[in-house]
Amino acid sequence: MSEWLVLTIAMAAVCAVVLTITVLRQRRIGEDDDPSETPDVIEYMVMMVGVVYAIVLGLAIAGVWETRGAAEDSVRAEAQALHEVSERVRVYPEGARERIRADVDAYVSYVVHKEWPVMAEQGQITDRGGELMDKVRASVTDYRPRDDYESQSYQPLLDQVAAADSARNTRADSIEPTLPPVVWFGLITGAAITIGLIFTLQIRRSGRELLLAALFSALIAFLLFLVWDFDAPFSRGISASAEPFTDLFPRL
């Protein structure tokens, strides 16, 4: 089932629950009930709870968004480092140059077409990808420069391979969700409390109030979905893509 369909169903379900409770609660209220009698302190408490939860939810969104940005940066760094390796070996003899470029192309092709689906479905990188990265490193390190000109390019190439390997490890660390269960408990509990406080203000059955209650509950559900989706940058709906690899290696 599509994650967007799940989101739509969840938002509709939350709205339906809120509206159902509102309607059923309204039927139990007597004719002599006066909503203007709600104590001012309750209105103040409802406002403060809403503000506190908004801050917590905003921090959660900012945190997972930053994690997603770091994951995308690691992908760009990995692709750029491998592109530098492929370009800088032009100073090497044809045999060594073509061998290194072939190993880089094999690694990039595998990451884009094989490893990326595994990351999305299983939440992990593959051993084969690590083997291909080791092969790239071996191709670069095993070559012995023949003159000073090639020697000047040798160490920068090693640095770029190390940068690509480090970015790959960062990408692997970014696959798993970062928010602990206790944070999710707080976010979900806070959402339930915040939506539940709507009823302390004695909401009536007017169309305007019912619409606002439904939109508010749908908004909370949508924001929680964003936190959940961004928490795993490579394996959920709005996931980081392999576009940096395809942009720098269009032939693959």
Side-chain angles (χ1 to χ4, degrees), residues 19 47 55 64-65 76 135 142 190 209 217 238 246-247:
L19 295 179
M47 179 188 68
I55 294 174
V64 295
W65 179 260
R76 284 192 292 268
K135 189 175 181 181
D142 290 350
E209 291 177 315
S217 58
I238 313 176
T246 58
D247 288 344

Side-chain angles (χ1 to χ4, degrees), residues 19 22-23 203-215:
L19 295 179
T22 301
V23 173
I203 184 173
R204 315 301 286 182
R205 289 179 57 184
S206 67
R208 179 178 59 184
E209 291 177 315
L210 291 178
L211 177 62
L212 289 176
L215 291 178

Side-chain angles (χ1 to χ4, degrees), residues 119-191:
M119 290 170 55
E121 296 173 3
Q122 302 179 16
Q124 62 183 7
I125 60 176
T126 63
D127 294 336
R128 178 59 179 167
E131 294 172 359
L132 292 175
M133 175 59 75
D134 292 339
K135 189 175 181 181
V136 172
R137 180 185 290 105
S139 297
V140 174
T141 57
D142 290 350
Y143 179 76
R144 293 294 178 265
R146 300 176 303 175
D147 51 38
D148 291 341
Y149 181 58
E150 292 182 358
S151 297
Q152 292 175 0
S153 301
Y154 181 72
Q155 186 58 48
L157 281 172
L158 293 181
D159 294 340
Q160 292 299 327
V161 172
D165 189 41
S166 176
R168 173 181 172 81
N169 293 331
T170 302
R171 172 162 60 89
D173 294 337
S174 301
I175 297 177
E176 293 296 328
T178 57
L179 291 182
V182 65
V183 175
W184 277 110
F185 175 79
L187 289 175
I188 295 174
T189 303

